[in-house]
Amino acid sequence: VGAAYRGSPRGMRGGTILVSGNAGHEAGCSMRRGLIVIGGDCGDFAGFSMLAGNVYVFGDCGRRHGAAMRRGTLGLFGPQPPVLLPTFRKAGSYRPQFLQLLFQQLKRRNFAVPDEITEAEFELYHGDMVELGRGEILIRKK
Protein backbone atom coordinates (compact mmCIF):
# COMPACT_ATOMS: atom_id res chain seq x y z
CA VAL A 1 0.00 0.00 0.00
CA GLY A 2 1.55 3.28 -1.10
CA ALA A 3 4.93 1.60 -1.58
CA ALA A 4 7.42 2.10 -4.39
CA TYR A 5 7.41 -0.27 -7.32
CA ARG A 6 10.44 -2.57 -7.32
CA GLY A 7 13.41 -0.56 -8.58
CA SER A 8 11.68 2.80 -8.15
CA PRO A 9 13.33 5.28 -5.77
CA ARG A 10 10.05 6.77 -4.47
CA GLY A 11 6.66 5.47 -3.47
CA MET A 12 3.53 7.47 -2.75
CA ARG A 13 4.01 11.20 -3.40
CA GLY A 14 0.78 12.62 -1.98
CA GLY A 15 -2.89 11.95 -1.37
CA THR A 16 -4.72 9.73 1.09
CA ILE A 17 -5.22 5.96 1.22
CA LEU A 18 -7.72 4.56 3.74
CA VAL A 19 -7.70 0.78 4.24
CA SER A 20 -10.51 -0.49 6.45
CA GLY A 21 -9.03 -4.02 6.64
CA ASN A 22 -5.54 -5.48 6.78
CA ALA A 23 -2.49 -4.57 4.68
CA GLY A 24 0.56 -6.59 3.71
CA HIS A 25 4.27 -6.02 4.13
CA GLU A 26 6.11 -2.76 3.38
CA ALA A 27 3.16 -0.38 3.68
CA GLY A 28 4.49 3.07 2.84
CA CYS A 29 7.87 1.80 1.61
CA SER A 30 9.90 4.76 0.22
CA MET A 31 6.87 7.00 0.70
CA ARG A 32 7.54 10.69 -0.03
CA ARG A 33 4.31 12.44 1.08
CA GLY A 34 0.71 11.64 1.87
CA LEU A 35 -1.37 9.76 4.40
CA ILE A 36 -2.00 6.02 4.77
CA VAL A 37 -4.41 4.79 7.44
CA ILE A 38 -4.83 1.05 8.01
CA GLY A 39 -7.79 -0.01 10.15
CA GLY A 40 -6.57 -3.59 10.66
CA ASP A 41 -3.20 -5.31 10.90
CA CYS A 42 -0.18 -4.82 8.67
CA GLY A 43 2.86 -6.92 7.90
CA ASP A 44 6.57 -6.35 8.37
CA PHE A 45 8.56 -3.23 7.44
CA ALA A 46 5.81 -0.60 7.72
CA GLY A 47 7.37 2.70 6.65
CA PHE A 48 10.58 1.07 5.39
CA SER A 49 12.92 3.68 3.85
CA MET A 50 10.23 6.31 4.32
CA LEU A 51 11.26 9.79 3.13
CA ALA A 52 8.26 11.66 4.60
CA GLY A 53 4.50 11.30 5.06
CA ASN A 54 2.26 9.59 7.61
CA VAL A 55 1.30 5.95 8.14
CA TYR A 56 -1.13 5.03 10.92
CA VAL A 57 -2.02 1.42 11.82
CA PHE A 58 -4.87 0.63 14.25
CA GLY A 59 -4.17 -3.11 14.40
CA ASP A 60 -1.10 -5.19 15.14
CA CYS A 61 2.08 -4.89 13.09
CA GLY A 62 4.81 -7.24 12.06
CA ARG A 63 8.47 -6.41 12.68
CA ARG A 64 11.11 -3.82 11.81
CA HIS A 65 8.84 -0.77 11.48
CA GLY A 66 10.55 2.38 10.23
CA ALA A 67 13.81 0.68 9.19
CA ALA A 68 15.92 3.19 7.19
CA MET A 69 13.26 5.86 7.84
CA ARG A 70 14.50 9.42 7.18
CA ARG A 71 11.49 11.58 8.15
CA GLY A 72 7.76 11.15 8.56
CA THR A 73 5.47 9.67 11.18
CA LEU A 74 4.43 6.10 11.91
CA GLY A 75 1.53 5.67 14.31
CA LEU A 76 1.31 2.11 15.64
CA PHE A 77 -1.90 2.06 17.68
CA GLY A 78 -2.56 -1.68 17.99
CA PRO A 79 -3.41 -3.43 21.27
CA GLN A 80 0.02 -5.09 21.45
CA PRO A 81 2.95 -2.64 21.68
CA PRO A 82 5.39 -3.46 18.87
CA VAL A 83 9.06 -4.21 19.38
CA LEU A 84 11.06 -1.36 17.86
CA LEU A 85 14.48 -1.47 16.28
CA PRO A 86 17.32 -0.47 18.62
CA THR A 87 18.00 2.53 16.36
CA PHE A 88 14.96 4.39 17.73
CA ARG A 89 15.20 6.49 20.90
CA LYS A 90 12.35 7.32 23.26
CA ALA A 91 11.62 11.04 23.41
CA GLY A 92 8.70 11.10 25.87
CA SER A 93 4.96 10.63 26.30
CA TYR A 94 2.16 13.03 25.41
CA ARG A 95 -1.30 13.51 23.85
CA PRO A 96 -0.68 15.12 20.45
CA GLN A 97 -3.39 17.56 19.35
CA PHE A 98 -2.93 16.72 15.68
CA LEU A 99 -4.07 13.13 16.34
CA GLN A 100 -7.37 14.38 17.73
CA LEU A 101 -7.92 16.32 14.49
CA LEU A 102 -6.95 13.28 12.42
CA PHE A 103 -9.35 11.02 14.33
CA GLN A 104 -12.18 13.55 13.84
CA GLN A 105 -11.51 13.70 10.10
CA LEU A 106 -11.44 9.89 9.86
CA LYS A 107 -14.77 9.61 11.71
CA ARG A 108 -16.29 12.14 9.29
CA ARG A 109 -15.26 9.82 6.46
CA ASN A 110 -16.96 6.89 8.24
CA PHE A 111 -13.63 5.25 9.07
CA ALA A 112 -13.81 3.13 12.24
CA VAL A 113 -11.72 4.76 14.99
CA PRO A 114 -11.77 2.96 18.37
CA ASP A 115 -13.18 5.21 21.12
CA GLU A 116 -10.44 4.32 23.60
CA ILE A 117 -7.73 5.67 21.30
CA THR A 118 -9.13 9.20 21.19
CA GLU A 119 -8.22 9.76 24.86
CA ALA A 120 -5.03 7.69 24.90
CA GLU A 121 -1.53 8.89 25.69
CA PHE A 122 1.25 8.07 23.23
CA GLU A 123 4.97 7.36 23.51
CA LEU A 124 7.13 9.18 20.99
CA TYR A 125 10.30 7.64 19.52
CA HIS A 126 12.79 9.33 17.17
CA GLY A 127 14.83 7.48 14.56
CA ASP A 128 16.05 5.72 12.52
CA MET A 129 19.36 6.94 13.99
CA VAL A 130 21.24 5.07 11.24
CA GLU A 131 19.66 7.59 8.83
CA LEU A 132 18.90 11.22 9.74
CA GLY A 133 17.05 10.33 12.96
CA ARG A 134 14.27 12.79 12.10
CA GLY A 135 11.48 10.24 11.75
CA GLU A 136 9.05 9.52 14.55
CA ILE A 137 7.01 6.60 15.77
CA LEU A 138 3.98 7.02 18.01
CA ILE A 139 2.86 4.04 20.10
CA ARG A 140 -0.28 3.95 22.21
CA LYS A 141 0.70 3.81 25.87
CA LYS A 142 -0.81 1.05 27.99
Side-chain angles (χ1 to χ4, degrees), residues 22-61:
N22 298 330
H25 301 298
E26 299 180 12
C29 173
S30 297
M31 181 177 178
R32 179 71 179 152
R33 279 185 213 93
L35 171 67
I36 299 173
V37 182
I38 301 167
D41 302 337
C42 79
D44 297 337
F45 290 103
F48 174 74
S49 193
M50 196 167 148
L51 298 170
N54 301 286
V55 178
Y56 301 106
V57 181
F58 288 93
D60 288 325
C61 289

Side-chain angles (χ1 to χ4, degrees), residues 60-127:
D60 288 325
C61 289
R63 302 179 300 158
R64 298 184 182 99
H65 330 289
M69 175 185 206
R70 292 184 195 106
R71 289 188 321 267
T73 303
L74 280 175
L76 307 176
F77 306 145
Q80 298 298 323
V83 176
L84 295 181
L85 292 170
T87 54
F88 282 86
R89 302 288 179 257
K90 186 172 180 178
S93 298
Y94 74 122
R95 286 190 175 103
Q97 290 292 332
F98 77 92
L99 281 182
Q100 300 307 315
L101 296 172
L102 173 72
F103 297 152
Q104 288 173 7
Q105 288 296 324
L106 290 172
K107 286 181 179 182
R108 282 190 197 125
R109 293 182 179 192
N110 295 322
F111 193 88
V113 177
D115 290 332
E116 67 271 5
I117 201 164
T118 58
E119 297 300 321
E121 191 169 326
F122 298 88
E123 294 179 343
L124 173 65
Y125 293 85
H126 291 293

